[in-house]
Amino acid sequence: MFGKIICLLLWVTLEGFSFCAFAQMRVEELFEKIKIQPLKERQMAPDFRLENLEGKLIELKSLKGKVVLLNFWATWCGPCKEEMPSMENLYQRFDRKDFTLLAVSVDFEEREKVKRFIEKKGYTFPILLDPKGKVLDLYRVRAIPTTFLIDRRGAIFGKAIGPRKWDTPEAISLIHILHENRNRGNIK
């Protein structure tokens, strides 16, 4: 009996290690296909508080435990508008308790313009307003759209500069891997 328990524990441990190795290899492949820059030294995502379109303050640290896609955009940015339908598709695909997408508008003092744009397009993901560019500067964003992938612990996992198709099988798989790794340790 004791031998069976030891064998079972050894098997579970080895399975966990092989899953982590597979997930690591898979993540690197997915980053390459989606053209996301992995961060060699993962750092905690800087916390911020911004208002959404309804005037409610949203704090990044309150989302710990979720995978977060943090996107910086503007209504006047063509490439930003190009990727937004795929962002909506991605947002609709996942349960809100495990994943969220935050789109931070950097339109200067244009709350009503942003609100009209979002309502016209029918987007349902959360829109935050950064009219003075403080969070844009905090994240050292130099071009939009720029998107950060933040893991469940609140660490920045990767960065994408320029538009992406966020509803591709590769992007969906990447979110799934990050989503499923909540109890299996960290992917490096």
Side-chain angles (χ1 to χ4, degrees), residues 52-56 73-75 84 105 107 109-125 127-129:
N52 65 12
L53 288 175
E54 293 75 38
K56 179 182 175 191
W73 71 285
T75 57
M84 290 181 98
S105 167
D107 288 89
E109 307 295 337
E110 301 271 351
R111 177 188 299 264
E112 287 307 312
K113 182 178 183 178
V114 173
K115 191 171 187 170
R116 281 192 309 274
F117 174 82
I118 294 301
E119 288 172 352
K120 180 180 176 187
K121 297 295 183 179
Y123 298 133
T124 61
F125 50 82
I127 303 295
L128 305 180
L129 303 169

Side-chain angles (χ1 to χ4, degrees), residues 31 33-37 71 79-80 82-84 86-87 145 147 159-168 171:
F31 268 38
K33 285 187 181 210
I34 306 167
K35 295 183 172 100
I36 294 178
Q37 301 167 10
N71 175 268
C80 300
E82 175 187 322
E83 74 177 351
M84 290 181 98
S86 70
M87 289 167 49
T147 304
K159 176 181 178 180
I161 299 172
R164 300 291 184 278
K165 289 281 190 187
W166 292 108
D167 57 354
T168 63

Side-chain angles (χ1 to χ4, degrees), residues 39-162:
L39 298 183
K40 290 182 175 136
E41 295 289 324
R42 270 201 242 147
Q43 58 188 352
M44 296 307 286
D47 191 32
F48 62 83
R49 287 174 36 168
L50 288 174
E51 285 187 8
N52 65 12
L53 288 175
E54 293 75 38
K56 179 182 175 191
L57 280 175
I58 305 298
E59 206 165 6
L60 182 64
K61 72 179 178 184
S62 71
L63 301 173
K64 213 172 246 185
K66 295 183 182 192
V67 174
V68 178
L69 196 76
L70 177 64
N71 175 268
F72 291 87
W73 71 285
T75 57
W76 47 262
C77 169
C80 300
K81 294 189 274 190
E82 175 187 322
E83 74 177 351
M84 290 181 98
S86 70
M87 289 167 49
E88 176 67 25
N89 291 339
L90 181 69
Y91 181 69
Q92 291 300 325
R93 191 165 183 105
F94 288 93
D95 189 336
R96 304 296 178 268
K97 70 180 171 60
D98 297 313
F99 170 78
T100 197
L101 189 157
L102 299 176
V104 178
S105 167
V106 296
D107 288 89
F108 298 104
E109 307 295 337
E110 301 271 351
R111 177 188 299 264
E112 287 307 312
K113 182 178 183 178
V114 173
K115 191 171 187 170
R116 281 192 309 274
F117 174 82
I118 294 301
E119 288 172 352
K120 180 180 176 187
K121 297 295 183 179
Y123 298 133
T124 61
F125 50 82
I127 303 295
L128 305 180
L129 303 169
D130 187 22
K132 299 202 183 321
K134 290 181 180 178
V135 177
L136 186 79
D137 291 342
L138 181 64
Y139 278 78
R140 297 184 179 128
V141 173
R142 301 291 171 246
I144 57 171
T146 293
T147 304
F148 294 89
L149 192 55
I150 301 170
D151 71 15
R152 291 176 170 277
R153 295 179 310 110
I156 299 174
F157 201 75
K159 176 181 178 180
I161 299 172

